[in-house]
Amino acid sequence: PNTAVQHATEFITQNEAIMITGGVASSEVIAMGKTAQQQKVLFMTGASGSNDTTGVDCQRYMFRSQCDAYMVAKAMAPILGKALGTKRKAVYLTPDYSYGHSLTGSMREFTEKLGWTTVADVVAPFPSSDYSSYLTNIANSGADTFINIEFGNDGVASTKQAAQFGILSKMKLVVPNVSTYFPDGVGAQIMGGVYGTQEWYFSLADRY
């Protein structure tokens, strides 16, 4: 966040910008939103999934195109209930940052209203490359549904490792926020039957 604020401030002052865009991690986006508010410069971010971005940390000058965690969870829950039933036992793999906790919280809120039970929320530091210890806990959780909150390359790595651990052969995989490159990263064999949401993008219809 500090680096993001530094660069945003430099760009605004040096270029006399009237609008800026960028940011990936929600912590960065929230910090840049406050900078944009102070500078009275429009800030349009394309990637920030935390509810806080336009919730408790909402700024008048900040906008986003990406759906937030609450929207993803509320849209998915009735589909999951219809497809998988209302008596599921879910285990979460949550990245330890704002977006991760936000999405896990929202998914728990709406799935538990369906009747689902959350048996464990396994939190992994960011970034991680080896998920062995976290996946061991997930494998032994007694859950029948694995909800992987990890995003981007971390989502791909953790999902492929979960397959190696045999988790995907005994648990239904749910990936609430599917990045555009996630299907290619994990491959068709893993991706088949996965439940998730993905933002519309004009080229996706040609790829999938």
Side-chain angles (χ1 to χ4, degrees), residues 102-205:
S102 192
L103 185 52
T104 293
S106 291
M107 287 296 296
R108 290 188 61 171
E109 175 185 352
F110 286 103
T111 57
E112 289 171 8
K113 286 179 180 178
L114 289 175
W116 287 28
T117 301
T118 301
V119 297
D121 177 15
V122 180
V123 179
F126 175 81
S128 295
S129 57
D130 183 359
Y131 290 88
S132 300
S133 60
Y134 314 108
L135 293 172
T136 299
N137 292 334
I138 288 171
N140 296 327
S141 66
D144 54 27
T145 308
F146 172 36
I147 303 181
N148 193 354
I149 304 297
E150 294 284 349
F151 185 73
N153 290 330
D154 302 280
V156 172
S158 58
T159 300
K160 292 173 75 172
Q161 290 174 37
Q164 295 169 358
F165 270 71
I167 292 172
L168 304 187
S169 63
K170 62 181 181 179
M171 297 185 195
K172 190 65 178 177
L173 176 60
V174 175
V175 182
N177 193 355
V178 179
S179 61
T180 54
Y181 50 86
F182 181 87
D184 293 331
V186 300
Q189 185 173 359
I190 291 177
M191 195 64 200
V194 171
Y195 286 89
T197 69
Q198 190 172 67
E199 291 188 319
W200 179 87
Y201 190 68
F202 74 95
S203 67
L204 287 179

Side-chain angles (χ1 to χ4, degrees), residues 49-68:
S50 173
N51 292 331
D52 293 346
T53 305
T54 47
V56 296
D57 290 304
C58 183
Q59 305 293 329
R60 180 177 177 85
Y61 281 77
M62 179 169 64
F63 301 86
R64 67 169 164 194
S65 61
Q66 183 179 13
C67 50
D68 61 25

Side-chain angles (χ1 to χ4, degrees), residues 1-10 28 31-32:
N2 291 336
T3 303
V5 166
Q6 178 185 347
H7 289 310
T9 302
E10 290 175 355
E28 297 172 350
M32 285 190 287

Side-chain angles (χ1 to χ4, degrees), residues 49-99:
S50 173
N51 292 331
D52 293 346
T53 305
T54 47
V56 296
D57 290 304
C58 183
Q59 305 293 329
R60 180 177 177 85
Y61 281 77
M62 179 169 64
F63 301 86
R64 67 169 164 194
S65 61
Q66 183 179 13
C67 50
D68 61 25
Y70 180 92
M71 295 165 64
V72 166
K74 188 171 184 179
M76 283 198 72
I79 304 300
L80 293 174
K82 184 176 180 179
L84 304 180
T86 58
K87 301 299 180 184
R88 306 290 295 190
K89 294 182 291 184
V91 60
Y92 290 80
L93 178 59
T94 302
D96 192 12
Y97 51 78
S98 178
Y99 159 77

